Amino acid sequence: MLNPRQLSLFQSIALTGSISAAARQLGISQPAASNMLGRLEEAVGLVLFKRLQGQLEITPEGSALLVEATHALDVLKNLETRVEQIVRLEHGTLTVGALGWVSMGILPFVVADFMRAHPGIKVSLQTHASTKVVDAVIAGHFDIGVVETPSPTPSLRISPFHVDLVAVLPEESDLMDEDTLTPQQLSGVPLVTLDRGHATTQRLVQTFNLVGAECNIVAESHLFSPALIMCQEGVGIAIVAEHTAKQHHVESHRIKKLSPPIPFPVSVITAKYRPRSRVSHAFEDLLMRHIDALSQ
């Protein structure tokens, strides 16, 4: 069985024409180099060098083997470099799937920071409904997903994090001096929300109904970003995720907490029965740091 040490010695002897010079390059004794060359010739069944006028001259068979040995050593060197890059998170790929408002809100900033820290990593950000992201993560098509928190399943690792909905006021509003807003204060006020069929919108309506307040939804959107634009245009108060409002640089005095809180359950998911890459772990750590910073 050939080994890289033998091939390196063989290459060095071919270049220097001397066993002693090759031994010095490899940091071994001349007898050890001679023994290693003998074992290599025995292993391949060929005479690789002949001594002519005190110099070692490579044989035709040795020349043919040198081409292959040089290629093999180059491949091994490239492999070692690639391993070092993987260890240092300088090489690899990552596919992230996310629901719309996360994909269009916080994740592009996380991806940008991640790629600045690890420029050799190629990232693909895919936007889909949460159910499709869950299926793709389980199937191994996505390395990591950020979705509305799914029901517990043996196939997934689920790491929930906390997101609350907030009210974003238009530029002109009588509620600007309030710190928090209740259903009673928002009763009858034009609201822009997610689709009525969405769980968080249904929870919002139920909260209003419990105290006899009117939940006056005048416009709906599948994503939070259009809701913020409609709010900016004076359509109504936008009910959106707090993280989205901050990522869109909405002025802090226009962002009001809701009382009682309306949570939007979100989780990072990975496939439980698939080994996770170091890249995936590093990306999730950075994502959670971004989320913590926005929560503050």
Side-chain angles (χ1 to χ4, degrees), residues 119-256:
I121 305 295
K122 293 180 173 59
V123 179
S124 175
L125 177 56
Q126 304 287 325
T127 305
H128 297 285
S130 290
T131 52
K132 185 170 182 179
V133 173
V134 168
D135 291 341
V137 167
I138 292 174
H141 302 311
F142 295 166
D143 299 298
I144 192 168
V146 186
V147 297
E148 295 180 46
T149 301
S151 300
T153 169
S155 302
L156 289 176
R157 301 182 192 93
I158 301 174
S159 302
F161 59 91
H162 188 66
V163 174
D164 278 335
L165 297 186
V166 295
V168 175
L169 305 180
E171 294 287 356
E172 301 293 333
S173 174
D174 296 335
L175 299 171
M176 202 68 76
D177 293 332
E178 303 294 336
D179 292 327
T180 60
L181 296 176
T182 65
Q184 293 91 335
Q185 291 169 301
L186 294 174
S187 183
V189 176
L191 302 178
V192 183
T193 68
L194 290 182
D195 307 326
R196 289 178 186 268
H198 196 277
T200 53
T201 304
Q202 293 177 357
R203 193 173 295 119
L204 179 73
V205 173
Q206 292 169 359
T207 302
F208 274 64
N209 290 341
L210 284 174
V211 295
E214 178 191 357
C215 189
N216 182 23
I217 299 173
V218 297
E220 304 171 29
S221 172
H222 185 65
L223 299 171
F224 287 135
S225 295
L228 286 172
I229 295 173
M230 285 187 274
C231 170
Q232 185 69 33
E233 293 298 312
V235 173
I237 293 175
I239 306 299
V240 301
E242 182 176 13
H243 296 77
T244 304
K246 291 180 177 179
Q247 288 288 172
H248 282 73
H249 305 293
V250 175
E251 300 89 342
S252 59
H253 68 275
R254 293 175 52 208
I255 302 175
K256 307 296 179 181

Side-chain angles (χ1 to χ4, degrees), residues 70-147:
T70 300
H71 175 69
L73 289 170
D74 287 344
V75 169
L76 182 60
K77 183 177 180 180
N78 290 336
L79 177 61
E80 291 172 344
T81 300
R82 187 66 77 209
V83 169
E84 291 175 0
Q85 290 175 332
I86 292 172
V87 169
R88 295 195 299 262
L89 298 181
E90 295 175 353
H91 177 79
T93 61
L94 182 73
T95 303
V96 183
L99 71 162
W101 67 268
V102 176
S103 182
M104 299 177 68
I106 189 173
L107 274 183
F109 296 93
V110 179
V111 169
D113 275 359
F114 187 77
M115 294 184 73
R116 277 190 286 268
H118 310 289
I121 305 295
K122 293 180 173 59
V123 179
S124 175
L125 177 56
Q126 304 287 325
T127 305
H128 297 285
S130 290
T131 52
K132 185 170 182 179
V133 173
V134 168
D135 291 341
V137 167
I138 292 174
H141 302 311
F142 295 166
D143 299 298
I144 192 168
V146 186
V147 297

